[in-house]
Amino acid sequence: MSTELFGRASDYARGVLSELGDDDLRRPTPCAEWDAGTVVVHLADVIDALTGLLETGVLAMPQPPRTSAPDPVALVEQRWAELAHAFSVAAEATWVESAATAGTVELTTHAWDVGAARDPDHRIPAELADDVLTLVSAALDDDTRGESFAAPVDVPGRAGPSDRLVAFLGRVPTAGRCPRQESNLRPFA
């Protein structure tokens, strides 16, 4: 199921990125110190880390991290092509599962960051948000949040799936801030 869910997360992220104009890249995101362009460049690093996991079994963000790119969206599309190839030739099923799971969480979360930069009312599609919340809540608790995930944020009981997911990952669903600036990237076994 994780590869199917990864595909839906990728489609969502690509849809959000396809709507970005040059001016949008300078918009602030819910992560106070990151603008949309910085998040998009970070996604290129995330995709490279996922490709590395598929090729070697090791999940590691590129060092040093990218800080800019002339065309961040084009960079992500280029990296996505390499990731698609890595998925198609990956020989180790556990690496595929780990990459799909980590990628699903990262792509969904950061696509929301970028979408919220353009529109504070942006929401993750409900079915995707529900499925990603189910995936991540099974693997993430207070002991495994570490430095990568902030504590969950309280939301009203009537909150929709997008707001529940975003809050579970430590973000304030509407016009809030991102308590942690580190990557959320980590494999879920």
Side-chain angles (χ1 to χ4, degrees):
M1 158 127 158
S2 288
T3 55
E4 182 273 332
L5 185 55
F6 175 80
R8 289 192 288 136
S10 294
D11 290 346
Y12 163 63
R14 282 183 143 153
V16 169
L17 295 182
S18 73
E19 297 173 0
L20 288 176
D22 289 338
D23 290 341
D24 293 326
L25 294 172
R26 292 184 290 280
R27 290 181 183 267
T29 68
C31 297
E33 296 178 19
W34 293 39
D35 63 18
T38 304
V39 174
V40 175
V41 169
H42 172 69
L43 277 174
D45 282 351
V46 167
I47 292 168
D48 285 349
L50 296 172
T51 301
L53 172 59
L54 290 165
E55 292 172 347
T56 68
V58 176
L59 181 66
M61 293 294 286
Q63 294 301 320
R66 289 182 181 97
T67 56
S68 65
D71 185 347
V73 175
L75 174 64
V76 168
E77 283 299 325
Q78 174 196 27
R79 307 320 296 160
W80 241 312
E82 293 182 24
L83 178 62
H85 175 73
F87 265 115
S88 72
V89 298
E92 180 61 48
T94 57
W95 297 353
V96 170
E97 187 69 21
S98 292
T101 301
T104 295
V105 175
E106 282 286 312
L107 294 175
T108 303
T109 304
H110 292 311
W112 178 83
D113 292 333
V114 171
R118 291 189 73 239
D119 175 7
D121 292 327
H122 176 83
R123 297 292 182 267
I124 300 165
E127 186 176 346
L128 175 62
D130 273 337
D131 290 346
V132 174
L133 182 57
T134 298
L135 176 75
V136 74
S137 63
L140 188 63
D141 59 27
D142 290 340
D143 294 332
T144 57
R145 283 182 180 273
E147 293 295 316
S148 297
F149 293 92
V153 174
D154 289 330
V155 291
R158 67 186 187 292
S162 179
D163 288 353
R164 287 193 315 271
L165 172 60
V166 168
F168 181 78
L169 295 173
R171 286 163 163 74
V172 178
T174 56
R177 67 189 194 318
C178 181
R180 298 251 198 266
Q181 298 300 319
E182 297 86 6
S183 170
N184 294 342
L185 188 63
R186 67 174 49 208
F188 293 100

